[in-house]
Amino acid sequence: MSEILPPIIIPRYIEFSGNIIQLLDPDFHKLRPEQPGAPRWAKIYAPFVFTGSELSTEKMETLYNPNKGVYETHP
């Protein structure tokens, strides 16, 4: 289904309150073959959001990953 919807362009990372937050998640975002010229942006197939009863407030928290130097959250 995501291949028939128009692609979107998202920033790979954003800065919020002095912290770098990764938006592009290679586990859930599928990159399009054509990419923008600027490395900050990524063109992806339209993502689908799956939610259900398993969503909890703990999964909404962001945690700092010192190996990557960014904050991450559950999908």
Side-chain angles (χ1 to χ4, degrees), residues 50-71:
F50 297 101
T51 61
S53 61
E54 73 279 356
L55 192 59
S56 64
T57 55
E58 296 87 38
K59 291 187 177 180
M60 301 291 283
E61 294 294 323
T62 58
L63 299 173
Y64 183 71
N65 183 332
N67 295 327
K68 291 183 180 178
V70 297
Y71 284 83

Side-chain angles (χ1 to χ4, degrees), residues 1-6 45-46 48:
M1 183 71 150
S2 66
E3 293 183 10
I4 63 172
L5 295 172
Y45 289 95
F48 285 122

